[in-house]
Amino acid sequence: MFRTSLRNVLAHKGRLLMTMLAVLLGVAFLCATLVFTDTFAEAYRKSSERSFEYVDVAIRPGRAPEGAPPGTRPALTQDLLHAVARLPEARTVIGSVTGFTAIAGKDATPAGQGWSTRGANYYPGQDGADPRYPLARGRAPENAGEIMIDAESAERTGYEVGDTVRVSVDGPILKEKLVGVFTTDDGEVSAGGTLTLFDTATAQRLFAEPDEFHEITAKATSGVSQAALQTAVEKVLPAGADTFTGDSLAHDQAVRVESSISDLRSTLLVFAGIALFVGVFLIANTFTMLTAQRTRDLALLRAIGASRRQITRSVLVEALLIGAGAGCAGVVAGIGVGACLRSLIGLFGAGDQVLPDGPLVVSPVSVAVSLSVGVLVTMAAAWLPARRAGRIPPVAAISAVHAQATSKSLAVRTIVGAFLSAAGAAAVLAGTGMGVDDGQYVIGLGASALLIGVFVLTPMLSRPFVAAVTPLLRRMGAPGKLARENALRNPRRTAATASALTIGLAIITGLTVIATSSQEATDARATATLKADYVIRMGNYDDLSVQVEDTLKAAGGVTAVSPLREVPARVADSPTFLTGVDASVIGDLLRPEFTRGSLSAFGAGGAVVDAGTAAGHGWTIGTVLPVTFPDGNHGRVTVRGIYQDTDLLHGLVIDTSLLDPHLRTRTAASVLVKTAHGPSGAAKNSIVKALGNSPAILVQSKQDVSTSIAQNITMMLYLLYGLLAMAVIVAVLGVVNTLVMSIAERSAEIGMLRAIGLDRRGVRRMVRLESVVISLFGATLGTGLGLYFGWAGVRLLAADSPAHRLIVPWGQVALILALATVIGVVAAVWPARNAARLDMLTAIQSG
């Protein structure tokens, strides 16, 4: 029986090619996911180990002591560093200060990527060198106005020692002299980031406070353990400071990396699972058709003594051989795809997520899991066809008619499908009334049940669909009528072929509806209340220096400027953030929707608060709130307005004249600007020029904000489309495979049609129309389900964010249906060509 199975695989290798390709694609996707995420995790783990190479114990600020002003943290001072350095257990001690630093290239564009553009201090030891940053050329910065940059950034930008480099930390431009270039193992630098080093005093002035550090690290003397050094360090610590061993920091970093990688891995595995799930339909359909075509052969085996179990086992062995072959090829392809992804991320980055250098990681577990999944999926899909093959009686050897579906089996199938569909639809509907946290799982389970139910019902649903398109098919003449009959001849086969496409297009349509609706809601939340011509913010969304708003107020053509300050405070004994605005002009820059009061209601000691915060604390108009400001002083404000929060304005809002006297350093999350003649290219260029063409500052009009939101969501949607394309490709292979095998099964019939006058062109048209009908059937079901899933997703999001409302992109839905037609035509090219080239006499004799 094993030899028989092997011969069957070799005899039908052409027919099984599409099945093997479907398994190969799914396994490749799975293997690539595992290889890429393993590589990602290993690269970050190695990078973390290198970053803690000079750390045995780290000292960091802990919680502020009880009663301290809001937002304050214990200071790590120069005196503390000296106290740690005097410990006999400590060999070297380094004080570190870090912060965002943008470098402008020679073409005035930012040289780094997002959050990976950083600045730090060069802390020389007794030998005058900082072991973290070996010099490549030049010298270390010693005074204000001098910097070093990493060697990779110097190579990218073309800067040489002695050049003047334009740098920005919190907005305003700094023109610094490049005095040195250093090398570093920092993973973010190798992935496209930049690292700029200042002397310690300058870094403290830019990123912290004079004589204060963000972190103090110590390296133990020879023979002293990390635990012993930690114990010694804790004896000289001030209240509120915390210590961590280098090993514990490396472990925590590894856990965080694994957690973030886990999210990425889970997302990719979901789409790999979808591709494999769609492949199940193709595999099951293929084996069902092969079993039907080999009815007489299998019955003859039964007649000469083969048992049912042997027949079933022979079909499963075929599936095992196909799954093993396709799985091995898929593993090899997946390793290649993983390597390509590794290279692409290294070249282009991934937003703020960058990948350090490191080798490609191909673990035995990844290979074994991928190969096992490919084999198991293939065998699981072939199990039902194998069982049906085992039930073929010996008498079928003398008759081609066998195992037609009984009315009882069809009735049971209809009842089961109707129950699953109704239960799934009800679960999806119930989930929309819950919160996002709970509702997403209920909707997910309901959607899965609904998809399975519709799949079970698909044979019954195919008949009315074909009936609906019959008038169009009849206009196509004889080929159209024959295509209709072929689609109706075996509803189960038509259903199984269309179902793969249904699943892929249901997910694509649902995601499109949710993304379009979310884009509209996000855009409205960000810009609906905006009256300002421009929003000024840092490229990494850090706070802007007060110099930015002062410069804008003095700029020509600017009529109104207001900062949006966000500072920690305590209001009514609860930690919260205060938003400070210029009450005299904010009405010209924002128009939030007020339920009571207005922006003009500030007055002396007044405040406005968003509706969610007010409801959560029970605040109403006239409520007097005790406030503890960042400097520890106390005051009172009276609620004089309640508004609907937006991305720009939220929380408790007060006038800057009340807030600023309590701030040690004035900064702003963003600055709103109104110009005399409205937004224009000239006005924007004037503002950019006034701010010194800073590489760190974004100057965005309302349209720019909308475009940015649209681009982010569109990029995410395209990524999802790319991942789901695998499932659609597998679905297309299913259509091709079904047509190829169906033509082989109907070769005698096609030969007879040719003999009675149907020309080759008519045969090709018949096959194409049959393919289009199947594809459109799957697409219609898929888009219908997708619209329902999209509606449910938007309604669920609206429970937490009322700005969400259903937006159906009918143009894109029409494009999806048009794509299904194209899929049908493309999928029929090869089968139609084969059908048209059949020799009439040979085909008739094969019957």
Side-chain angles (χ1 to χ4, degrees):
M1 294 304 296
F2 177 78
R3 288 195 297 270
T4 301
S5 300
L6 183 59
R7 288 195 193 100
N8 285 331
V9 171
L10 296 176
H12 299 97
K13 52 183 178 292
R15 299 184 189 180
L16 294 171
L17 177 63
M18 298 300 173
T19 301
M20 295 184 70
L21 189 54
V23 178
L24 186 153
L25 289 173
V27 171
F29 199 160
L30 173 63
C31 186
T33 296
L34 296 176
V35 168
F36 176 67
T37 52
D38 285 347
T39 300
F40 207 106
E42 181 67 11
Y44 265 111
R45 188 178 68 80
K46 293 294 186 184
S47 177
S48 298
E49 289 177 357
R50 290 194 298 267
S51 66
F52 295 114
E53 181 180 353
Y54 301 101
V55 180
D56 282 330
V57 171
I59 306 171
R60 294 176 177 176
R63 293 183 178 181
E66 190 69 28
T72 60
R73 304 184 74 184
L76 305 183
T77 63
Q78 189 75 45
D79 291 339
L80 174 60
L81 186 145
H82 289 156
V84 174
R86 288 192 293 268
L87 294 172
E89 294 86 353
R91 184 179 67 192
T92 58
V93 180
I94 296 174
S96 301
V97 183
T98 59
F100 172 77
T101 302
I103 299 176
K106 290 187 175 182
D107 58 356
T109 60
Q113 300 178 5
W115 283 263
S116 59
T117 56
R118 297 178 297 112
N121 66 310
Y122 186 88
Y123 195 89
Q126 293 181 352
D127 60 354
D130 188 330
R132 301 171 298 174
Y133 310 116
L135 278 169
R137 54 187 179 272
R139 62 174 176 83
E142 298 173 351
N143 304 294
E146 297 180 345
I147 61 169
M148 294 171 66
I149 62 174
D150 64 271
E152 293 189 38
S153 297
E155 183 178 352
R156 287 197 306 269
T157 58
Y159 283 125
E160 298 290 345
V161 173
D163 288 347
T164 298
V165 181
R166 298 172 68 252
V167 175
S168 179
V169 172
D170 56 1
I173 282 292
L174 305 173
K175 294 183 178 181
E176 308 287 313
K177 182 180 180 180
L178 182 63
V179 297
V181 175
F182 63 94
T183 59
T184 177
D185 291 329
D186 191 309
E188 293 187 348
V189 170
S190 64
T194 63
L195 182 57
T196 306
L197 300 182
F198 303 84
D199 67 280
T200 297
T202 301
Q204 288 173 329
R205 175 174 55 82
L206 293 174
F207 305 129
E209 298 291 340
D211 293 328
E212 291 186 7
F213 299 96
H214 292 146
E215 181 180 67
I216 296 174
T217 58
K219 188 73 176 174
T221 56
S222 180
V224 176
S225 67
Q226 291 186 355
L229 177 59
Q230 183 180 31
T231 300
V233 168
E234 287 175 345
K235 295 177 180 179
V236 299
L237 289 186
D242 293 330
T243 61
F244 306 89
T245 64
D247 289 344
S248 68
L249 290 174
H251 176 267
D252 292 344
Q253 177 97 335
V255 170
R256 286 194 296 271
V257 169
E258 180 56 35
S259 176
S260 67
I261 297 300
S262 177
D263 293 339
L264 174 64
R265 184 186 292 119
S266 298
T267 300
L268 294 175
L269 287 178
V270 165
F271 289 99
I274 291 171
L276 286 168
F277 182 64
V278 171
V280 166
F281 294 97
L282 191 160
I283 298 165
N285 208 20
T286 299
F287 276 96
T288 298
M289 295 177 72
L290 280 175
T291 300
Q293 292 172 17
R294 286 159 35 200
T295 296
R296 288 184 177 180
D297 295 341
L298 295 173
L300 186 58
L301 288 173
R302 289 293 314 282
I304 62 175
S307 67
R308 287 188 174 187
R309 181 174 296 179
Q310 286 178 310
I311 297 295
T312 300
R313 191 181 300 159
S314 70
V315 177
L316 290 177
V317 168
E318 288 182 48
L320 173 64
L321 294 173
I322 293 169
C328 290
V331 167
V332 174
I335 293 172
V337 173
C340 291
L341 287 174
R342 169 68 183 83
S343 300
L344 288 173
I345 295 295
L347 285 172
F348 304 112
D352 62 330
Q353 187 67 277
V354 290
L355 180 61
D357 285 334
L360 188 71
V361 178
V362 183
S363 70
V365 173
S366 298
V367 173
V369 167
S370 301
L371 186 57
S372 300
V373 167
V375 172
L376 290 174
V377 165
T378 307
M379 294 185 68
W383 182 70
L384 279 177
R387 288 199 61 188
R388 292 194 193 105
R391 293 174 181 170
I392 295 174
V395 72
I398 60 174
S399 174
V401 179
H402 170 67
Q404 294 295 319
T406 65
S407 58
K408 180 180 178 182
S409 68
L410 292 175
V412 170
R413 179 173 183 141
T414 301
I415 292 171
V416 172
F419 173 77
L420 287 173
S421 299
V428 170
L429 185 61
T432 61
M434 304 178 181
V436 173
D437 292 337
D438 296 327
Q440 60 181 333
Y441 299 109
V442 176
I443 289 179
L445 290 173
S448 300
L450 180 55
L451 278 173
I452 295 171
V454 169
F455 166 66
V456 174
L457 285 174
T458 305
M460 183 189 73
L461 298 175
S462 64
R463 291 186 177 277
F465 177 83
V466 174
V469 298
T470 294
L472 294 176
L473 293 174
R474 285 176 176 165
R475 294 181 183 179
M476 304 294 179
K481 295 176 182 178
L482 291 170
R484 173 187 177 277
E485 294 302 322
N486 290 334
L488 289 174
R489 177 179 302 180
N490 193 330
R492 290 190 176 187
R493 179 188 301 168
T494 301
T497 307
S499 293
L501 196 58
T502 296
I503 294 170
L505 295 185
I507 298 174
I508 288 175
T509 304
L511 289 175
T512 301
V513 171
I514 293 173
T516 304
S517 301
S518 296
Q519 177 181 321
E520 184 78 14
T522 305
D523 187 23
R525 181 176 171 84
T527 63
T529 63
L530 185 62
K531 294 172 64 178
D533 295 327
Y534 295 100
V535 179
I536 317 297
R537 53 167 60 106
M538 290 285 289
N540 69 331
Y541 295 91
D542 273 355
D543 286 345
L544 290 159
S545 165
V546 70
Q547 290 177 252
V548 172
E549 59 188 91
D550 291 342
T551 300
L552 291 170
K553 287 177 181 177
V558 173
T559 59
V561 175
S562 175
L564 294 178
R565 308 199 201 288
E566 294 181 3
V567 299
R570 291 187 66 85
V571 178
D573 292 328
S574 296
T576 188
F577 273 82
L578 291 177
T579 299
V581 300
D582 186 341
S584 64
V585 297
I586 193 64
D588 297 328
L589 302 168
L590 289 175
R591 49 165 177 258
E593 180 183 346
F594 274 80
T595 56
R596 296 184 65 186
S598 68
L599 280 176
S600 62
F602 270 105
V608 295
V609 63
D610 71 83
T613 302
H617 291 84
W619 300 340
T620 61
I621 297 294
T623 300
V624 178
L625 304 174
V627 179
T628 302
F629 291 102
D631 62 356
N633 289 321
H634 302 282
R636 292 179 178 276
V637 295
T638 303
V639 176
R640 296 204 171 113
I642 298 175
Y643 64 93
Q644 299 295 335
D645 71 317
T646 66
D647 285 349
L648 284 172
L649 197 66
H650 47 83
L652 188 67
V653 184
I654 64 175
D655 189 6
T656 51
S657 64
L658 179 60
L659 179 62
D660 287 358
H662 301 286
L663 301 180
R664 188 173 182 179
T665 303
R666 289 184 296 153
T667 60
S670 56
V671 177
L672 306 180
V673 177
K674 190 82 170 174
T675 57
H677 303 291
S680 65
K684 183 174 182 177
N685 290 335
S686 176
I687 292 174
V688 170
K689 186 175 180 179
L691 296 174
N693 294 303
S694 173
I697 295 179
L698 294 177
V699 179
Q700 295 181 306
S701 66
K702 185 173 181 176
Q703 183 59 47
D704 292 334
V705 174
S706 296
T707 302
S708 175
I709 292 169
Q711 285 178 342
N712 291 336
I713 293 179
T714 301
M715 286 179 64
M716 178 189 70
L717 199 56
Y718 284 163
L719 174 62
L720 295 176
Y721 284 169
L723 295 173
L724 286 169
M726 190 75 72
V728 175
I729 290 172
V730 174
V732 173
L733 294 177
V735 177
V736 174
N737 212 29
T738 297
L739 291 173
V740 168
M741 299 182 73
S742 177
I743 287 166
E745 186 180 276
R746 301 184 338 237
S747 57
E749 176 186 318
I750 293 173
M752 187 64 70
L753 289 172
R754 289 289 316 283
I756 62 176
L758 187 65
D759 60 10
R760 291 186 174 182
R761 183 179 180 184
V763 171
R764 287 195 295 268
R765 180 178 294 180
M766 175 187 71
V767 176
R768 281 198 299 267
L769 289 173
E770 181 181 352
S771 177
V772 169
V773 168
I774 293 173
S775 299
L776 278 177
F777 174 51
T780 302
L781 277 181
T783 52
L785 289 171
L787 290 173
Y788 181 61
F789 295 153
W791 168 82
V794 172
R795 185 170 176 182
L796 180 66
L797 292 173
D800 287 352
S801 177
H804 281 81
R805 60 188 183 89
L806 182 65
I807 305 284
V808 178
W810 293 111
Q812 289 169 276
V813 172
L815 185 62
I816 290 172
L817 291 173
L819 175 64
T821 305
V822 173
I823 287 173
V825 173
V826 171
V829 170
W830 181 35
R833 181 172 173 269
N834 288 345
R837 294 177 65 182
L838 284 174
D839 181 81
M840 284 185 288
L841 294 179
T842 303
I844 292 172
Q845 289 175 354
S846 69

